[in-house]
Amino acid sequence: MPKPSQGVTVVALLADPDTPTEIAERMARRLPDRLSRKSDKGRRFDVRVVSEPVTAGSEDPPTVMRRIRERANAEDWDVVVALTDLPLHSHGRKLVVDLNHEYRLALLSLPSLGAGGCRRGPRGQWRRPSSA
């Protein structure tokens, strides 16, 4: 993983379509200022939202993390936070977050975080109830 470029850190919010992307977009509006306040003086953050499926539904967390790392390298992202609407498991337990500090990656399972207002959809993913 490349070192952040001089003065600017590229943060990718890689989100499953629908609710995870909506959450990522809300985060992206506030995140640059919050990160700048907590970091080195003069450091800026370029936060990008990428909406695409994070998991194939049957992948284990290490496989998902490897794919995220490969994508981050290809895109020259400095930090990646992936948000999925699928429940993740590791060693038979629910997984809330999988972190890799070395590569600056995080995989968040929204259902495990109790993503409020979401319910299961067709692939087992979580969605907001329709306003019908």
Side-chain angles (χ1 to χ4, degrees):
M1 177 81 58
K3 298 244 187 245
S5 60
Q6 198 74 343
V8 179
T9 299
V10 178
V11 178
L13 301 178
L14 182 60
D16 278 336
D18 301 318
T19 300
T21 295
E22 293 171 15
I23 292 170
E25 288 170 346
R26 284 195 309 268
M27 289 172 59
R29 287 192 287 270
R30 295 182 299 233
L31 204 51
D33 289 337
R34 287 184 179 189
L35 292 172
S36 291
R37 284 194 305 266
K38 300 263 184 199
S39 67
D40 298 336
K41 201 171 194 171
R43 167 81 42 205
R44 291 181 305 126
F45 293 86
D46 177 10
V47 178
R48 302 172 184 177
V49 175
V50 179
S51 180
E52 63 184 40
V54 173
T55 69
S58 61
E59 294 174 320
D60 60 350
T63 301
V64 176
M65 291 293 277
R66 186 178 62 250
R67 284 192 318 96
I68 294 169
R69 185 178 71 235
E70 290 168 357
R71 178 75 190 275
N73 288 335
E75 300 286 342
D76 287 330
W77 296 331
D78 299 310
V79 178
V80 180
V81 178
L83 297 100
T84 183
D85 54 4
L86 292 176
L88 299 174
H89 296 88
S90 179
H91 306 290
R93 301 185 80 173
K94 286 183 181 179
L95 183 67
V96 175
V97 63
D98 193 357
L99 296 173
N100 183 311
H101 294 281
E102 179 182 357
Y103 293 105
R104 299 176 177 183
L105 308 174
L107 171 62
L108 302 173
S109 173
L110 296 178
S112 297
L113 288 170
C118 294
R119 62 177 174 77
R120 281 192 193 274
R123 291 186 315 152
Q125 74 272 27
W126 291 80
R127 299 181 177 272
R128 289 180 188 261
S130 61
S131 56

